[in-house]
Amino acid sequence: MEGTKIPLHLIPCGKSARVKELTSSGNLRRRMLDLGLVIDTVVESLRKSPSGDPIAYEIRGAVIALRSEEASKILVELI
Amino acid sequence: MGLTSQSTGVNALKEMLDIQLSSSDDIIVALAGNPNTGKSTVFNSLTGLNQHTGNWTGKTVTTAQGNYKYRDENFILVDLPGTYSLLSNSIEEEVARDFICFGNPNATVVVTDATCLERNLNLVLQILEMTDKVVVCVNLMDEAKRKKIRIDLKRLSELLGVPVIGTSARSGEGLEELMDAVYKVSHNEITTKPIRIQYDDDIENTIQYIEEKIKKSVDNKINSRWVSLKLIDGDMSIIDSINKYIGIDLSNITNNETKLGLAEVSSTPLSEVLSTSNDLAYGDLRDRIVSSIVKLAENISHQVVNSQRQKHNELDRKIDNILTSKAFGIPTMIALLGIIFWITIVGANVPSDAIAYVLFGIEDKLTYLFTTYNLPNWLHGALVLGVYRTLAWVVSVMLPPMAIFFPLFTLLEDLGYLPRIAFNLDNFFKKACAHGKQALTMCMGFGCNAAGVIGCRIIDSPRERLIAIITNFFVPCNGRFPILIAVTTIFIAGAVSGPMQSVIATLSITLVIILGVIMTLLVSKILSKTILKGLPSSFTLELPPYRKPQVGRIIVRSIFDRTIFVLGRAVIVAAPAGLIIWLMANVNISGISLLDHSAGFLQPFANLLGMDGYILMAFILGLPANEIVMPIIIMSYMATGTMIELENLEALRSLLISNGWTWLTAINVMLFCLMHFPCATTLLTIKKETKSWKWTFVSFLVPTIAGITLTFTFTQIVRLLGLA
């Protein structure tokens, strides 16, 4: 898995990953950066909502839920 | 920095935020902070002004203000919208930024969450770039202690270069020190030296280049380094704000100058920089600016926060594993709602009867008084049978359920459960092309639909906000909720006896609410496919830590803030309505009362919907406030039929039955109660929020059509099958 970038929403629950690239632009990109999702930030996938989407992540000490549309634009490396 | 002159622009801003100074010596303090940091609690504790606090993202959508005295001086505290950052362009962030920057506060307090300091430092650092008169308040120290998180406040203060005060606003701990620090900072008794964020060389050089260009224009009225940074960041709204509030036109130094600056310090050829679009030119720099701030926050946090990591949120996670799990998430949600309804119904019965007994006893005494003093009959009719009796009904039917339901619901809110509801239901909203936070605005609608409509501001996308506004009325507010309770307990559950009564009543109310949710989703979907076409916008939702609720405060807050307020409003509307009903019942035209005329006119249509003319008329007369619908129905029946002493709910049941009610009528009343035109207050709020009569009209029409369609279809099917 070393070096492979995968979208954040595909990370299994309970696993952590390191942010490698944001593919969004404009306002959405800002919002992601504001959440603290800068390169090399470690994110843990916590749990899926009852219907599987959105998924809650721990980002810099806060629990944030993202829909798959947004999470898929965050490329990460599993650790 | 800070403004030296009180230009008209600054006054315009103060007017915009409606700041009322009692004298020019007043000290203005801005209160900033992330959502869910207990900012509102700090605000309430300091000012004593009752402002509702909620444990969800973006609850404080408007600025509130209050004042407190400290050392004989008057401090005006302005509660800014809760934001995570001042970088991205939402309305809340712009308001907060503009006030801190141009509102000329004597000090700015940034409230942070001790249990989540790193994330909060992001905003602190951004504010420190704008102004140096800052006090950092690290709130929720009690929660942090419980979670075994230790914070070195002294070190944090050294690192940030401004006073740092630890508080537990809920118990009032640390507030004295906070007021002291604010006093000293605003009187320049403490000289602050805010930390300066060091960016990479490219950015620093560009800042220098642009700062040089604008320095003369801004003339020390505003921090030129910060403005330069904003220009590099591509934040052009700052140009407008500077022009608006301090009357300096920087538009000549906008786009191209900034790009020139970028070209000068980077190796990219000038022509290429000038021809690229904004996003490309700024995108990378913006990332680098934000990264610098985030990394600095991380760095500081590592130096001052000491916690047994991974351990402190264990309990929250365990709770979430149940409350948001695939198997239990939604059933638990429905069960919790059901339990609240059940407690409300069971608990409201006894006091309802008791209050009715007392109030109607008073009515007899009043009547006795009127006869003793030989007062005219019409006066007795209008005042006692009209005004007083309607008031008595409103109070006895409305008060108990409200006084029980509100504290219970506020308890869920205080615990932090509501964002979990949004998390559980988001996928349904996504499928309806709507926003997950609509679930939160629906929860606010339980309190009051007008409040729910205002709450829709937390949804950024205008399309999704409109959908949330138009469909908010499908959640029964506290004005309609007692109608549902009254009809179910009196009628539906009254049909069975024994302990099953409350269970059946609870089930029917829960079903009505679920139907409301389904209608919300269905109508949202229909709107998304027709007049409000579009795709769902981006969605991020914070699930804040669970908090120990403050039971005492909840009871006080929900009784005073909500119950008394709502009841007061109902009473104000009910008194004149009682008079009108009595007049309508007693003014005769060609031998038939006005009431019968109107009801007779509505009768054919009402019959199609499985109701009668009086019921429909009650809903129309209930336009000012839905609380009076049920009393109007009762009044109408009593005014037309034989007088019955209504000292208990059983008597009410006989009254309804003698006026032709069947289970079909009861269900239709409940359906129509759930779906009809919003009350006048809500409609006016919608007009204010959407600034459009068109959308107000749509909001009027949509639930009305839904209600008529549903009751009509249901009634016709039942009648066709010969069930009623």
Side-chain angles (χ1 to χ4, degrees):
Chain A
M1 288 300 275
E2 186 64 30
T4 357
K5 287 193 263 189
I6 50 170
L8 180 61
H9 69 289
L10 297 181
I11 297 289
C13 284
K15 291 267 190 257
S16 293
R18 204 180 288 280
V19 174
K20 282 295 154 197
E21 191 187 339
L22 298 182
T23 59
S24 52
S25 63
N27 234 335
L28 178 60
R29 188 184 184 88
R30 281 201 149 201
R31 207 173 289 211
M32 296 298 125
L33 291 170
D34 265 351
L35 291 174
L37 288 166
V38 300
I39 306 302
D40 283 340
T41 303
V42 175
V43 175
E44 184 187 349
S45 175
L46 290 180
R47 74 179 56 78
K48 292 180 174 178
S49 84
S51 49
D53 188 32
I55 298 173
Y57 303 95
E58 172 156 335
I59 303 169
R60 296 186 179 271
V63 181
I64 312 279
L66 299 174
R67 283 180 178 171
S68 55
E69 281 80 356
E70 281 79 47
S72 65
K73 289 180 182 147
I74 302 164
L75 302 183
V76 297
E77 240 176 55
L78 259 181
I79 36 177
Chain B
M1 58 162 273
L3 308 175
T4 44
S5 65
Q6 292 274 326
S7 61
T8 48
V10 175
N11 287 334
L13 180 70
K14 284 187 178 155
E15 243 162 60
M16 187 178 95
L17 293 170
D18 195 24
I19 298 200
Q20 282 141 11
L21 298 174
S22 55
S23 86
S24 56
D25 295 334
D26 287 352
I27 294 164
I28 298 178
V29 181
L31 192 65
N34 288 14
N36 301 311
T37 52
K39 191 163 72 73
S40 297
T41 317
V42 172
F43 179 74
N44 287 338
S45 308
L46 285 178
T47 62
L49 189 93
N50 255 314
Q51 191 215 20
H52 190 67
T53 65
N55 198 9
W56 65 51
T57 304
K59 175 68 194 292
T60 319
V61 280
T62 48
T63 51
Q65 57 158 317
N67 62 300
Y68 67 89
K69 291 254 189 286
Y70 186 74
R71 291 207 209 164
D72 291 327
E73 288 201 53
N74 192 29
F75 289 76
I76 296 194
L77 201 56
V78 180
D79 190 14
L80 298 175
T83 59
Y84 294 108
S85 150
L86 299 174
L87 290 176
S88 51
N89 305 312
S90 74
I91 301 162
E92 285 81 13
E93 293 186 6
E94 216 172 291
V95 167
R97 182 199 68 192
D98 282 356
F99 189 77
I100 295 169
C101 198
F102 307 110
N104 200 18
N106 300 83
T108 299
V109 175
V110 193
V111 183
T112 59
D113 178 353
T115 65
C116 188
L117 193 65
E118 182 182 329
R119 176 163 165 69
N120 286 246
L121 281 175
N122 189 19
L123 180 72
V124 174
L125 292 171
Q126 287 179 33
I127 289 174
L128 287 176
E129 280 195 312
M130 292 158 61
T131 166
D132 46 15
K133 302 187 109 182
V134 173
V135 175
V136 174
C137 162
V138 182
N139 193 29
L140 299 169
M141 290 297 278
D142 44 353
E143 288 285 325
K145 199 173 163 194
R146 198 168 60 82
K147 292 185 172 177
K148 299 196 168 59
I149 301 170
R150 271 179 309 163
I151 295 170
D152 187 343
L153 298 174
K154 199 166 152 271
R155 180 93 185 102
L156 183 59
S157 176
E158 283 165 15
L159 288 169
L160 295 176
V162 294
V164 173
I165 312 291
T167 61
S168 307
R170 292 185 293 186
S171 57
E173 212 173 299
L175 292 177
E176 189 71 25
E177 290 90 326
L178 182 65
M179 286 192 279
D180 191 60
V182 169
Y183 181 92
K184 284 179 176 154
V185 166
S186 55
H187 284 82
N188 293 316
E189 280 180 25
I190 298 178
T191 323
T192 55
K193 270 211 182 89
I195 186 171
R196 194 169 126 165
I197 302 166
Q198 191 68 39
Y199 297 99
D200 61 40
D201 287 350
D202 278 0
I203 297 172
E204 286 294 340
N205 290 338
T206 319
I207 291 175
Q208 233 170 32
Y209 175 90
I210 297 173
E211 207 178 346
E212 214 55 50
K213 297 255 171 197
I214 61 169
K215 209 155 202 169
K216 229 160 122 193
S217 314
V218 300
D219 189 26
N220 274 336
K221 280 185 181 162
I222 183 168
N223 187 330
S224 54
R225 176 183 161 87
W226 180 71
V227 175
S228 311
L229 192 66
K230 294 288 103 185
L231 291 175
I232 299 171
D233 192 24
D235 181 0
M236 291 307 158
S237 73
I238 193 70
I239 304 269
D240 295 337
S241 292
I242 290 174
N243 199 355
K244 194 157 103 196
Y245 298 121
I246 48 181
I248 296 172
D249 188 7
L250 286 178
S251 52
N252 59 328
I253 320 179
T254 52
N255 259 332
N256 285 344
E257 280 289 348
T258 314
K259 282 184 182 171
L260 277 174
L262 297 183
E264 195 131 306
V265 294
S266 65
S267 52
T268 326
L270 180 62
S271 56
E272 202 173 297
V273 175
L274 285 176
S275 61
T276 48
S277 73
N278 275 355
D279 229 45
L280 284 172
Y282 300 124
D284 173 50
L285 280 176
R286 193 181 289 165
D287 282 19
R288 278 150 67 186
I289 291 172
V290 178
S291 296
S292 304
I293 301 174
V294 169
K295 295 245 164 80
L296 182 60
E298 182 182 306
N299 185 332
I300 294 175
S301 159
H302 283 170
Q303 292 187 55
V304 301
V305 180
N306 182 339
S307 74
Q308 285 111 334
R309 256 199 106 49
Q310 299 305 327
K311 280 275 171 232
H312 64 265
N313 283 329
E314 203 80 327
L315 183 64
D316 275 18
R317 290 188 183 187
K318 274 186 189 148
I319 299 172
D320 269 339
N321 280 342
I322 299 166
L323 292 184
T324 65
S325 69
K326 205 180 175 82
F328 300 110
I330 292 176
T332 315
M333 200 175 72
I334 295 173
L336 271 174
L337 207 63
I339 290 171
I340 291 186
F341 292 144
W342 184 77
I343 296 176
T344 309
I345 290 165
V346 172
N349 253 335
V350 178
S352 241
D353 277 355
I355 293 174
Y357 181 78
V358 171
L359 290 178
F360 288 107
I362 295 175
E363 185 190 305
D364 292 342
K365 296 228 166 58
L366 285 174
T367 305
Y368 176 73
L369 235 98
F370 271 75
T371 30
T372 320
Y373 290 99
N374 263 334
L375 292 168
N377 249 342
W378 62 266
L379 193 66
H380 171 255
L383 291 184
V384 178
L385 301 182
V387 175
Y388 181 80
R389 185 174 280 180
T390 312
L391 280 181
W393 269 114
V394 169
V395 174
S396 57
V397 175
M398 305 287 140
L399 183 61
M402 276 197 280
I404 297 170
F405 179 77
F406 282 159
L408 289 175
F409 196 77
T410 316
L411 189 76
L412 278 191
E413 193 180 320
D414 232 46
L415 276 166
Y417 181 63
L418 299 192
R420 271 77 187 178
I421 295 183
F423 181 63
N424 283 342
L425 294 180
D426 177 62
N427 206 20
F428 297 110
F429 285 97
K430 187 166 95 179
K431 287 198 176 119
C433 299
H435 202 283
K437 283 185 186 161
Q438 198 174 326
L440 295 182
T441 62
M442 287 167 71
C443 287
M444 293 185 222
F446 268 120
C448 167
N449 290 121
V453 167
I454 294 173
C456 291
R457 290 183 196 166
I458 61 172
I459 300 171
D460 285 333
S461 136
R463 186 188 72 86
E464 288 161 9
R465 193 182 313 142
L466 266 177
I467 290 178
I469 288 175
I470 294 170
T471 56
N472 193 269
F473 203 68
F474 289 117
V475 178
C477 66
N478 55 59
R480 293 181 286 153
F481 189 56
I483 306 178
L484 298 175
I485 292 198
V487 173
T488 38
T489 36
I490 293 168
F491 211 84
I492 296 184
V496 284
S497 55
M500 281 308 283
Q501 224 171 358
S502 57
V503 176
I504 298 227
T506 305
L507 276 179
S508 16
I509 300 239
T510 312
L511 282 177
V512 169
I513 305 297
I514 293 174
L515 177 70
V517 175
I518 292 171
M519 284 306 290
T520 303
L521 291 166
L522 190 71
V523 172
S524 298
K525 176 94 185 176
I526 294 171
L527 288 172
S528 295
K529 294 292 165 207
T530 54
I531 49 174
L532 283 165
K533 275 200 184 95
L535 293 167
S537 70
S538 73
F539 170 79
T540 55
L541 173 79
E542 180 169 13
L543 302 176
Y546 289 103
R547 303 254 162 84
K548 210 175 89 196
Q550 309 152 265
V551 178
R553 197 183 272 260
I554 286 175
I555 292 171
V556 172
R557 211 167 66 205
S558 42
I559 294 210
F560 285 96
D561 280 11
R562 295 187 172 179
T563 312
I564 300 289
F565 171 77
V566 171
L567 195 69
R569 200 175 68 104
V571 165
I572 290 167
V573 181
L579 188 64
I580 290 170
I581 294 296
W582 187 85
L583 286 176
M584 284 179 76
N586 288 278
V587 173
N588 292 327
I589 298 172
S590 51
I592 304 170
S593 74
L594 261 179
L595 192 68
D596 289 340
H597 271 299
S598 330
F601 174 75
L602 291 170
Q603 182 61 34
F605 181 63
N607 186 44
L608 288 176
L609 309 182
M611 296 182 282
D612 66 32
Y614 294 108
I615 301 172
L616 201 56
M617 199 179 54
F619 276 109
I620 294 170
L621 288 172
L623 183 71
N626 279 287
E627 287 88 340
I628 59 171
V629 169
M630 207 58 204
I632 291 179
I633 294 175
I634 296 163
M635 295 300 301
S636 319
Y637 288 156
M638 299 213 312
T640 49
T642 42
M643 279 297 193
I644 321 166
E645 284 292 319
L646 281 179
E647 62 270 320
N648 58 36
L649 292 175
E650 193 43 49
L652 189 52
R653 184 175 145 71
S654 339
L655 176 76
L656 294 180
I657 289 177
S658 67
N659 277 280
W661 277 49
T662 64
W663 63 270
L664 179 64
T665 324
I667 287 176
N668 281 322
V669 168
M670 287 172 74
L671 287 177
F672 201 71
C673 172
L674 185 71
M675 291 168 275
H676 66 283
F677 35 86
C679 74
T681 315
T682 305
L683 286 172
L684 288 176
T685 310
I686 293 173
K687 166 70 180 57
K688 229 167 115 188
E689 291 296 308
T690 60
K691 296 188 181 67
S692 140
W693 282 112
K694 180 188 150 200
W695 292 117
T696 312
F697 186 62
V698 171
S699 311
F700 177 91
L701 224 52
V702 165
T704 313
I705 292 175
I708 291 176
T709 313
L710 221 71
T711 45
F712 176 79
T713 317
F714 182 67
T715 307
Q716 298 313 315
I717 289 173
V718 168
R719 284 186 185 154
L720 211 67
L721 296 175
L723 295 171

